[in-house]
Amino acid sequence: MIKEQNGFTDIPFGYSCTPDEAGWSLPIKHGQEGGKQMAGKREDYITWDEYFMGVAALSARRSKDPSTQVGACIVSQDNKILSMGYNGFPMGCSDDEFPWDKEDEQVDPYNAKYFYSTHSELNAILNYRGGSLEGSKLYVTLFPCNECAKAIIQAGIKTIVYGSDKYDGTPAVNASKRMLNAAGVRYYQYQPTGRKIEIEV
């Protein structure tokens, strides 16, 4: 006979009992709960690259630039989002008062956007308030220019995943790649999967 004494189960020597009688619990096998088979995980979830490039693409939608919208997302080594940014004017510089025109760059650069607009990569770096970006990864929808490459290198970002490279071969991008190669910053182009995700906002 099994007796309860002071909260402990007293099992006489030689007595044969079941684990339940003894107050023991049998180990539950993986995928089971209470002896029933549990449902498996969903298999069509998005990858890390899809997730972070999607965040960069969504950030680009915040840009007021009528010709080019670029978004960036900086991610830690353990896949945590650190910062985001998109191309636009600095704080305090009105989107309605400063010029968005790019056609007058050579004739009247003062009234073209290039003296005023900050690229998404630099905005993402400047938006970060957590300390060091050393070893982080940058997702950006357009390959960084030479000016952004300088900031990326100085910030300690070690990997760039980019979408479009439509300015490949231009002096700015050639200079960018030259600096990134010299500094040991890895970069590769994102390969779209073709999956469509609809978000209602």
Side-chain angles (χ1 to χ4, degrees), residues 123-199:
N123 265 331
I125 291 170
L126 296 174
N127 287 340
Y128 184 57
R129 297 292 187 270
S132 175
L133 291 172
E134 186 70 37
S136 60
K137 180 185 289 188
L138 170 72
Y139 288 80
V140 61
T141 57
L142 181 65
F143 195 92
C145 71
N146 60 305
E147 293 299 326
C148 288
K150 297 174 189 177
I152 290 167
I153 292 167
Q154 292 299 92
I157 295 170
K158 294 302 182 185
T159 304
I160 300 170
V161 184
Y162 62 94
S164 172
D165 194 13
K166 68 178 182 178
Y167 297 115
D168 182 36
T170 62
V173 172
N174 286 345
S176 175
K177 292 179 179 179
R178 182 180 183 180
M179 288 187 286
L180 294 172
N181 290 336
V185 177
R186 177 176 175 247
Y187 53 87
Y188 63 91
Q189 190 165 26
Y190 173 73
Q191 300 300 317
T193 61
R195 291 200 283 183
K196 301 292 184 182
I197 299 175
E198 183 177 347
I199 301 175

Side-chain angles (χ1 to χ4, degrees), residues 12 24 31 62 70 79 83 86-87 89 93-94 96 100 104 106 111 118 132 154 177 185 194:
W24 305 331
R62 279 286 306 159
V70 182
N79 292 320
S83 186
Y86 53 88
N87 58 312
F89 298 142
C93 300
S94 172
D96 298 316
W100 289 110
D104 295 333
Q106 301 301 325
N111 287 310
T118 304
S132 175
Q154 292 299 92
K177 292 179 179 179
V185 177

